[in-house]
Every structure is written in C-alpha cells, then in structure tokens.
Amino acid sequence: RRTVISHALNQIATAHRYADEQGTSYEKLNVIVAHLGGGITVGAHRKGRCIDVNDGLGGEGPITPERAGSLPGFALVELCFSGQCTKEQIKKLLVGKGGLMDLLGTTNLMELEKRYLAGEAEVIAAMDAMAYQVAKEISSLWPAFDGEPVDRILITGGIARCKPTVEYIQKCLAALPAGVTVYPGENEMLALVKGALRVLTGQEEAKSYAPPSAH
C-alpha cells in the first residue's frame, strides 16, 4: 500500500479559493492542484475530494528545491548497496539535501531566479527540469477523473512566485484542455479559518477522523 503525505490543507484551500472566485463550490469542480514549495505535491481533486496525489515526503514526484523526487529504481538500489552512504545519508539525499540543493548548492529561489535570468546554464537546466517534471506530474493525473473534464489547473506555493518556472510549466501544459490559474504563496492559516467558518455557518458539517486501526 502507498502511504501518502501531501500539502492537503493548502491544496484544498486553493481549490476552495478558485471555486469561490468562480461563484461555485469545491464539491462541483474537478481541479488539479500543484503545491510548489520545498516539497512539491500535485493532487487530483474530483468533486470535493482529493482522489490521487504523490507522496511528496516519501520521495515520489518531481524534483524539488530540497528533494530528489522519483528516481530510477535500479540506480537507487546500486547507491544503497554501494557502501558510499549510510541509510540516513540516503534518506537525506532523497528528502532534505537532494534536488536543487544537491545540484546547485542552494534552495533560495529568489537567488536562483536571478541566476536563471542572468543566463547561468547550470541553473537553467536544473530549474527547467523541475518545471518539466511538475508539468508531467500534472498531466499524469488526467485519468484520475474517469473521463470527466478537468475544469482548471491550479498552481500554488512559494515557487509559484518564480516567473521562469511558472512560465515553463504553463508552456508545457498549453495544449491541455484546461487553463492554469496561479496563486502564489501558502494559505494554510487562512484555510483553517475558512474551514471553521464553513462549519459555524452551516455550509459544511464537521468531520470526525478515526485514529489508525491497531491492525
């Protein structure tokens, strides 16, 4: 079984925000939400429910500022048994010290954007690879909707402020039958407030989440 850890709160908050702006509800839309931060998760939200998403903390998905993303299985096995790294070092290479940190020595997207625009080939190659993999992850979720149309692709998180990366993703997705809306930054605190208000005003019922089974 896959264990999935994603940016669920910000993804759902972003979907609600888009729905509000369109004069409709989260429960009536099909959207794909890409949270781009230190970790990157991309979720398929079908009529008010996230039905598929990559395990961003467990190493799945695109390369990120500090995570290696999905890797070729055989190459990873070779590294694990090479004797060059401990188990903990490999985990750090996958999540924490991988990705752009490993390739470019920093996770500072403001600095990297300046270097990108200045024409540094190494930076352009790494950041375009990240954007390309995000676009691939987004497009891979189309089958999750069982043939229903996708209403919108939503991009959020801190990296959504990085113009070259967002433009590259938009270029890659231009042929898909859904437009892209960008909401830079993270909205977790506002999402918690709005969720509580929806319950208090009777728009939603509070949900109870059972603890994991002992089995």
Side-chain angles (χ1 to χ4, degrees):
R1 286 184 174 273
R2 292 176 65 233
T3 299
V4 172
I5 298 176
S6 69
H7 301 90
L9 186 57
N10 196 43
Q11 284 199 26
I12 293 169
T14 301
H16 274 290
R17 178 177 175 182
Y18 176 76
D20 289 345
E21 291 177 359
Q22 302 307 306
T24 184
S25 68
Y26 173 52
E27 290 74 20
K28 293 181 179 177
L29 291 175
N30 289 335
V31 294
I32 295 172
V33 187
H35 175 103
L36 313 184
I40 292 176
T41 57
V42 183
H45 297 251
R46 182 182 179 190
K47 301 291 192 294
R49 183 170 182 169
C50 184
I51 56 173
D52 196 3
V53 66
N54 62 297
D55 181 11
L57 190 60
E60 286 185 350
I63 187 175
T64 88
E66 58 184 37
R67 302 178 190 181
S70 298
L71 297 171
F74 279 11
L76 181 57
V77 170
E78 290 294 332
L79 178 61
C80 290
F81 288 89
S82 67
Q84 298 174 28
C85 302
T86 66
K87 178 180 176 181
E88 291 307 313
Q89 286 173 329
I90 288 173
K91 283 186 173 181
K92 272 293 181 185
L93 283 173
L94 292 175
V95 177
K97 294 184 178 179
L100 299 185
M101 183 66 196
D102 189 38
L103 294 171
L104 303 173
T106 182
T107 61
N108 187 325
L109 264 292
M110 292 179 67
E111 174 194 328
L112 290 175
E113 182 174 2
K114 290 178 183 176
R115 291 167 62 185
Y116 185 106
L117 295 173
E120 283 194 38
E122 185 181 32
V123 174
I124 291 171
M127 289 183 66
D128 283 355
M130 180 176 71
Y132 172 70
Q133 289 185 8
V134 171
K136 276 179 64 177
E137 194 75 23
I138 289 170
S139 61
S140 75
L141 287 175
W142 239 259
F145 298 92
D146 287 338
E148 293 181 12
V150 175
D151 296 299
R152 202 72 177 172
I153 297 163
L154 309 176
I155 297 176
T156 185
I159 300 177
R161 296 190 179 96
C162 182
K163 189 175 179 183
T165 296
V166 171
E167 287 180 347
Y168 196 102
I169 294 169
Q170 289 174 315
K171 180 185 73 172
C172 290
L173 300 175
L176 293 179
V180 177
T181 298
V182 182
Y183 294 110
E186 300 181 12
N187 307 289
E188 273 90 349
M189 294 301 104
L190 182 60
L192 290 169
V193 171
K194 287 190 170 183
L197 285 172
R198 286 195 300 273
V199 172
L200 291 172
T201 57
Q203 296 177 56
E204 286 184 19
E205 291 186 10
K207 298 180 179 71
S208 295
Y209 294 91
S213 168
H215 302 292

